[in-house]
Amino acid sequence: MTEAAASPVWGDPAAWENPPALHGEVAADICVVGLGGSGLAAVGAALEAGASVVGIDAGPIAGGAAGRNGGFLLAGGALFHHAAVEAWGEERAVGIYEESLAELDRLAAELGPIVRHVGSLRIPASEEEAEDCAQQLAALERHGFPARAADGPTGAGVFIPSDGSIQPLDRCRLLATRALEHGARLHCDTPAVALAGDRVTTPAGAVRCTAVIVCVDGWLERLLPELDGQARSSRLQMLATAPVEPGRIPCPVYDNWGYEYWQQLPDGSVALGGGRGVYGEAEWGREAEPGADVQEWLERRLRERVGVAAPVTHRWAGVIAYTPDRLPVFAEVRPGVIAVGAHSGHGNVLGSAAARAATEIALGRPAPRLARLLRPEHWN
Ligand SMILES: Cc1cc2nc3c(=O)[nH]c(=O)nc-3n(C[C@H](O)[C@H](O)[C@H](O)COP(=O)(O)OP(=O)(O)OC[C@H]3O[C@@H](n4cnc5c(N)ncnc54)[C@H](O)[C@@H]3O)c2cc1C
């Protein structure tokens, strides 16, 4: 395995002027725990509503999965649309898809060039998967969502023009900068060590508040042990290469039932992740350090399946959590503590939408449609 930087291709989250740790006691209407894309969306929503907000993170801004992911912006939930219809019911799956499309539009307006509207392509790795792609396409067309057939190496895949990609670290840094400018107090290197709805305790301080929103994906069950069994954490790994000729891979590609995924970045480098189909069992409960087996396997896929020979420049890992039904945790887990997380590998779009919905609820407003769609058992 060749030598490469052990940081995401997006940049090292620690190499930035992250806000300083919290020392002492502060008060705010809302305390947000976790400053990834979701937590920062909650901070922004609280500010928009005129509430005071303190956000804390155990590490740097976007130090978790939010700064270490594949950068795909995909509509819908963590299941392909036809599978979502089967698992969650038609009305719910369609509603969730609609809400994700609205969030994609909101992200594009909010983030400008950090979002690239290039679509996404699912390619089948077998004839069986080609049949599944046909079913996915049929379900999307039946519900009037944008999609069309597109050629893949083993049959027709699905091109979804409303999808795209994002620079995930830049997203979080931009949102953190804006939040600070609008009066939020943000503190990095500030883990929550005790959590109640009116008080979040940290190693050198505390936040007094009227509600807490926890926006944590990987290791959510560690922070809130009552979620053990509902959220289960796993490592995901990626690598990236030196630039190849730009335009070679026009949009993010989803291969082999979504187990592998890659995209070409604007500078020409290729970022590829996956391996769960082969190594998934061994990745449960692992920390966010790249491991040799998966990295070697990813490099083989890069050479053989994607056909990219450029040297690998970055190897990294992140931790996310999965739920049994592949819909996120979205619940008041303790009085005044709403948890949003465990996005089953798809938190870039619905994560921020759910966090904004959680903010509405935390401010005493009626549960938004997305909350009722994701977790009707809690919010209807
Ligand atoms: C390799 C990889 C590829 C992925 N690819 C995609 C993709 O292409 N598209 C997609 O939609 N999704 C993808 N995902 C999933 C996606 O990254 C996540 O769902 C999303 O980033 C979650 O963001 P978040 O803000 O909800 O949570 P997180 O990113 O988990 O942020 C939570 C934050 O909380 C902090 N925290 C944790 N515990 C505490 C504590 N006790 N006190 C204070 N702070 C705490 C962490 O430090 C972290 O910064 C991928 C994930 C990985 C790892």
Side-chain angles (χ1 to χ4, degrees), residues 260-327:
E260 273 76 62
Y261 42 93
W262 59 84
Q263 67 158 313
Q264 188 172 24
L265 308 185
D267 74 350
S269 61
V270 175
L272 171 139
R276 269 189 68 78
V278 180
Y279 294 98
E281 281 308 311
E283 297 292 289
W284 292 114
R286 304 293 294 268
E287 300 294 336
E289 300 287 331
D293 289 356
V294 173
Q295 287 293 328
E296 277 166 19
W297 191 86
L298 288 177
E299 196 164 336
R300 277 205 306 281
R301 295 294 285 190
L302 173 78
R303 309 297 181 214
E304 291 163 15
R305 178 75 163 159
V306 192
V308 168
V312 173
T313 53
H314 296 77
R315 300 180 189 277
W316 73 98
V319 177
I320 57 162
Y322 289 85
T323 60
D325 65 3
R326 300 294 185 262
L327 286 167

Side-chain angles (χ1 to χ4, degrees), residues 28-120:
D29 298 322
I30 304 282
C31 178
V32 175
V33 177
L35 298 174
S38 309
L40 288 161
V43 168
L47 291 172
E48 272 168 35
S52 58
V53 57
V54 174
I56 62 169
D57 198 291
I61 299 290
R68 307 178 157 271
N69 65 64
F72 285 32
L73 289 179
L74 304 175
L79 298 176
F80 293 123
H81 186 55
H82 62 306
V85 169
E86 203 176 314
W88 308 330
E90 185 160 45
E91 203 181 319
R92 214 171 153 203
V94 168
I96 289 169
Y97 205 97
E98 286 169 354
E99 292 288 320
S100 72
L101 287 176
E103 182 66 6
L104 281 165
D105 286 346
R106 206 192 60 77
L107 290 172
E110 177 180 56
L111 300 169
I114 290 173
V115 169
R116 292 190 299 139
H117 251 300
V118 286
S120 78

